[in-house]
Each structure stands twice: as structure tokens, then as C-alpha cells.
Amino acid sequence: MIENILANLERTNCAMDGTFIQAVSEVLHSLDPILQSDTKYQTYAILERLIVPDREIRFKVQWLDDNNNVHINNGYRVQFNNALGPYKGGLRFHSSVNSGVLKFLAFEQIFKNSLTGLPIGGAKGGSDFDPKGKSDFEIMKFCHAFMRELHQYIGARVDVPAGDIGVGTREIGFLFGEYKKITRNYDGVLSGKPYAFGGSLMRPEATGYGVVYFTVEMLKEEFGDSLWGKVCCVSGAGNVALHTIEKLQYFGAKVVTCSDSEGSIYDPNGIDLLLLRSLKGDGKRLSLENYMLQRLGSVYTKKEDYPHEAHAVWSTPCYAAFPCATQNELTFNDAVTLLNNGVRTVVEGANMPTVPEAIEVFQKNGVLFVPGKASNAGGVAVSEFEMSQNASMEKWDFDKVDRKLNEIMCQIYKRVSLTAKEYGRERNFVDGANIAAFKRLSEAMILEGV
Ligand code: NDP
């Protein structure tokens, strides 16, 4: 049945949809044990309904740069499934964005949001606009133009976008400003807002911190171990990577790598977070080469100077690896290198950063592998806390958000690990996450009817 569904999906989707088909294939193959357990999934055609988005919205975004030249970009919102609550998921501004990438991210989002146990559905959106090299005014003008189109499709009880690659607090502020101007509605239509007007404390930190809270709980339960004194490799140098590094250091780990799309840093003395933030914090995008110039003993490797199909950031021996940059950034060759260097666990901070062949290497060799839909769900969980605070006009303090985030990440770990055991896939966190998320989602879809 699964092969037929996948063949049909390939037939009805275009060449651009490679990552989407990859994500669906991974999920469907995981679900075999639960699909065998009950005929209701077939009766209600749950799989067939689950892999088609409710709607894909595409619009034109026209804006003027600082020299009054006209630019046109594509804008998208993929509203995938709202069985569990309002559509929820980030906006990505990056030159690589197209409808296929967003469909993959929106599909992953419905599973991630289900795993949190919170009342949120799944969506994703964005644009092929590249914020790199643009002035603050240009970014503001683009965000305003984007929202002039998007506003008609979203709402606090309909669809609540947040940030993702290229969209941080500053961009969300501009988007919110325009939404408010058009609709005169001061409600929680976006999450990740600046704290001054409706944002939640800890939203910027939440994804990275959540990744580490998940890891701490998992290491305690699975190995009776902790992060104290462990060497860790992290990729990326954006929002998720910076906060993952910060929390790993808080728990006593030594983080020795980070990267961006141009190259990577190896720092045997442990990443100097203050220095890294001065180059990459608050939306800054200075080259990591500057890190090497300012930090004795660190090494910078340019991406093109490293062999094809492998990345310098994964070449260092480490106990734990945290891919936190982008999809398909950890290849088969990287997995073999990590394994040969003794890695014990790989925890995804980004969405689908590990290629399927690399996941297989880890799983076959006893490396604990955690998919992003489980480990990076802290961001969307705190986004939902922001929606709750906006709806009740409350402000939660830092400790409350932090405690609830930690609780949610520990619950996700338990849910994933127990489900894997229950279906005979002990320590297979990919299957555990997919099955646990599917159970909750399919239950809602059946109860709500076709
Ligand atoms: P940012 O834009 O803040 O950072 C992305 C980082 O990844 C940058 O350092 C960027 O480098 C690097 N990067 C991008 N493309 C590549 C590439 N092809 N090779 C190597 N490095 C690359 O994004 P976030 O940190 O917010 O997001 C990172 C990942 O985490 C994404 O997969 C996102 O979907 C996921 N995620 C984010 C959440 C959030 O709350 N922000 C929530 C859950 C998941 P450069 O600056 O050079 O482009």
C-alpha cells in the first residue's frame, strides 16, 4: 500500500518536490507497524489524506530597493493540516525557497506539532527573497509587501506564522506592523514577536534550548550519562545553532565546531560564544573567517576546500553531533566519519538535516539518532505559549516559560521512546516520533470526519 501511495505522489508532484517526497517516504515507511494494527487507517484513507496539503497559496511580492529599483519575488504559504488546531509554522526567506521545500517543511511541521501535545496544526511559508546584503529599510519594505498579500490568509485562530531561516524577531516585527495597519487587529497573528509588543520571553532561545533539554533527558534515561565534559560538534551559526551552543556549554559540554553556508570553524579550546555572537548574533551575517582571525588556535575551512559530499564540521571526533543549519547537510560520508570517530548520539536541531542513508548508518550501528521533529519542537511549543499569552493578555516570566519548555521536551522524549518500545522499535526514535505523532493526528482526523 505504501509503495502505491508513494508512486502516486511522485506522479502527481513535480521535480521541485524532491525533499517533500523524501520526507513523506521516511514517515510512511515508519508507520508500517501501526498501519498493520488497525484497518481504520485504510477505511478512512488517512495516509492518502495526510500527504496532500489542505491548500498551497502562492502570491507575487513587489517591492522597491533603496535606489527605487523594482523587485519581484515569489511568496508562499502552505497550509498542510489543521486537524489539531490553527495552522502553525514558520516563514523562511532564502534564495533556495520554492513550493517543494515549503511543502516538505509544512508536512514535517504537522508531525512535530502533534508531538508537542499542544493544539496546533501544521503549515510553512516564505519567499525566495534573500535578506543577505539588504539594508534594514529594504528588509522592512519587503516584509511589508509580503504581508500585504499574506494577511488575507492568516488569523489568530486560522493560521499563525512564525520565524525560520532568514526570519527573526526584526522581520516578525515588520510583518506584524503591516498586518496591524491593514486589519486594525491587535491579536496574536504571528509568534516570535519582539517582547515589547506581545512576544514571549524565551522564544528566540526556545528551539536551541529545547534541543539540549531533550538531549539531557535522553542521555540520563538511555545511558545514565550527562553532557558534562563531553566534546560536541554543532553546525550552523544562526538562531538554533547559537542557542544550542549556549545551552550545551551551560551543561558543561565543550562545543568545538560551528559553520555557515561558506565554511566552518574548528576551535579545540571550545567555541567562544561572545565572539561568535559578535559575528552572527541579531541577524548579523559576517564571515566566520573573522572568528579564526580573532581566536588563537581556531581553524577555518572554506566549504569549497573540503571534498564533495562531506563537510569539515563533522570531521572532528565528538561524543554528540547537532546539525543545526539546513536540510540534507549531513551526508552518508559525514555519518561514516562521525561513526568512525566514536559519536554516540546525533540530535537534529534543523529540519531534516540528515540524509536517509546517513540515518541508516547511525541506526544500524547503535548511535542514538533523534529526528528534528522531536528534538527541535521547543520553538513551536514556545510559539504556542505566546499564542496563549496573547489570547489571555498575560505575560509569563522567564522561569515559567523555561520550566514549561523543559517539561514539554522531557514529555516528547518519553512519548517517542515509549512508542518506539510499544511497537517493537526500541531506541528507533524516527519510528517512535512518526508513530506517536500519527496516532494523535489520525485520531483527530477520524473524529472530525472526512
Ligand atoms: P538562521 O537563518 O538563523 O540560521 C541558519 C544557519 O544555517 C546560518 O548559519 C546559515 O549560514 C546556515 N546555512 C544555511 N544554509 C546552509 C547550507 N546550505 N550549508 C551550511 N550552512 C547553511 O536559521 P535558524 O537557525 O532559525 O534555522 C536553522 C534550521 O533550524 C532550519 O532548518 C530551520 O527550519 C530549523 N528550525 C528553526 C526553528 C526556529 O525557531 N528558528 C524552529 C525549528 C526548526 P548563512 O548565514 O551563511 O546562510
Side-chain angles (χ1 to χ4, degrees):
M1 177 176 71
I2 289 173
E3 296 312 327
N4 284 346
I5 293 175
L6 285 174
N8 197 34
L9 191 71
E10 281 195 42
R11 199 176 48 73
T12 52
N13 282 270
C14 64
M16 217 184 263
D17 294 337
T19 43
F20 172 55
I21 292 167
Q22 178 187 338
V24 174
S25 168
E26 181 215 281
V27 170
L28 296 200
H29 284 111
S30 274
L31 297 178
D32 207 39
I34 186 166
L35 298 174
Q36 304 292 346
S37 70
D38 201 316
T39 54
K40 67 181 175 189
Y41 302 115
Q42 216 167 336
T43 310
Y44 288 92
I46 295 294
L47 289 190
E48 290 85 343
R49 289 162 61 205
L50 202 54
I51 61 173
V52 180
D54 289 350
R55 63 197 63 79
E56 292 176 71
I57 299 153
R58 179 175 172 162
F59 47 87
K60 180 172 69 176
V61 187
Q62 13 185 29
W63 57 282
L64 293 176
D65 68 18
D66 290 344
N67 299 315
N68 282 337
N69 296 313
V70 180
H71 295 265
I72 297 155
N73 286 97
N74 296 309
Y76 306 89
R77 187 70 179 162
V78 181
Q79 297 177 332
F80 217 109
N81 185 301
N82 65 353
L84 294 174
Y87 299 108
K88 179 97 199 83
L91 296 171
R92 177 176 291 192
F93 291 168
H94 194 270
S95 52
S96 64
V97 163
N98 58 43
S99 60
V101 167
L102 294 175
K103 245 191 311 186
F104 129 63
L105 289 165
F107 179 73
E108 288 284 292
Q109 195 81 40
I110 54 179
F111 285 81
K112 182 188 309 193
N113 294 2
S114 170
L115 274 180
T116 64
L118 299 168
I120 36 181
K124 203 83 186 186
S127 172
D128 53 5
F129 168 76
D130 187 356
K132 271 186 208 162
K134 305 290 190 301
S135 72
D136 283 358
F137 269 113
E138 286 171 337
I139 288 184
M140 182 189 78
K141 282 186 275 186
F142 176 80
C143 288
H144 286 176
F146 184 86
M147 185 52 85
R148 277 197 291 279
E149 288 301 317
L150 182 70
H151 79 274
Q152 52 198 311
Y153 308 110
I154 60 176
R157 296 277 165 176
V158 181
D159 181 354
V160 184
D164 191 73
I165 291 180
V167 179
T169 314
R170 175 183 59 168
E171 289 74 18
I172 295 287
F174 294 147
L175 291 162
F176 182 74
E178 188 67 10
Y179 178 85
K180 188 165 58 72
K181 211 179 296 161
I182 298 169
T183 64
R184 292 178 294 125
N185 227 345
Y186 207 111
D187 58 16
V189 71
L190 290 152
S191 62
K193 296 184 288 299
Y195 182 67
F197 49 89
S200 174
L201 284 173
M202 263 194 78
R203 176 59 190 91
E205 295 89 347
T207 306
Y209 281 17
V211 167
V212 181
Y213 290 153
F214 186 104
T215 310
V216 167
E217 184 68 9
M218 177 184 72
L219 292 180
K220 186 177 80 185
E221 294 295 322
E222 302 289 336
F223 296 155
D225 206 346
S226 77
L227 284 165
W228 188 258
K230 303 292 192 308
V231 173
C232 297
C233 286
V234 173
S235 67
N239 175 285
V240 178
L242 288 172
H243 293 107
T244 300
I245 295 171
E246 182 191 328
K247 214 42 164 186
L248 284 170
Q249 291 182 342
Y250 170 84
F251 281 104
K254 185 179 184 184
V255 182
V256 292
T257 63
C258 65
S259 65
D260 64 12
S261 47
E262 323 256 274
S264 61
I265 284 289
Y266 167 59
D267 186 343
N269 298 313
I271 293 292
D272 178 341
L273 196 54
L274 223 57
L275 173 55
L276 186 60
R277 282 219 160 98
S278 72
L279 304 171
K280 296 291 190 181
D282 301 323
K284 285 195 282 286
R285 289 175 180 269
L286 300 170
S287 167
L288 282 175
E289 208 163 355
N290 295 297
Y291 184 101
M292 179 195 65
L293 297 174
Q294 293 176 58
R295 178 85 163 161
L296 212 65
S298 66
V299 180
Y300 177 70
T301 310
K302 266 192 184 162
K303 201 170 183 175
E304 63 259 31
D305 292 345
Y306 210 74
H308 192 53
E309 295 298 334
H311 301 90
V313 75
W314 307 125
S315 65
T316 307
C318 64
Y319 175 87
F322 298 87
C324 294
T326 191
Q327 62 267 19
N328 292 332
E329 51 152 320
L330 198 160
T331 61
F332 173 80
N333 291 342
D334 294 325
V336 172
T337 306
L338 282 165
L339 184 70
N340 290 338
N341 282 335
V343 76
R344 298 291 311 278
T345 182
V346 176
V347 184
E348 292 187 334
N351 286 313
M352 213 171 74
T354 315
V355 304
E357 299 77 18
I359 297 177
E360 209 178 317
V361 169
F362 295 137
Q363 289 182 329
K364 281 196 171 147
N365 290 281
V367 176
L368 284 187
F369 173 79
V370 187
K373 60 172 76 87
S375 44
N376 73 24
V380 77
V382 173
S383 274
E384 197 274 350
F385 300 166
E386 184 172 327
M387 288 163 72
S388 295
Q389 293 172 73
N390 292 163
S392 60
M393 307 287 271
E394 280 179 43
K395 280 277 192 196
W396 299 355
D397 64 27
F398 194 92
D399 285 349
K400 178 169 177 176
V401 182
D402 195 31
R403 183 172 40 76
K404 284 176 78 73
L405 170 64
N406 200 337
E407 272 169 22
I408 289 243
M409 296 316 295
C410 293
Q411 281 164 10
I412 294 175
Y413 161 72
K414 285 202 176 68
R415 205 166 281 145
V416 167
S417 134
L418 287 176
T419 307
K421 266 187 209 145
E422 187 188 339
Y423 286 87
R425 305 283 173 100
E426 191 162 357
R427 284 195 169 168
N428 184 330
F429 295 139
V430 174
D431 289 357
N434 287 332
I435 295 173
F438 174 80
K439 255 180 147 174
R440 183 168 174 241
L441 254 168
S442 56
E443 206 53 46
M445 288 170 74
I446 290 169
L447 290 172
E448 287 171 16
V450 179

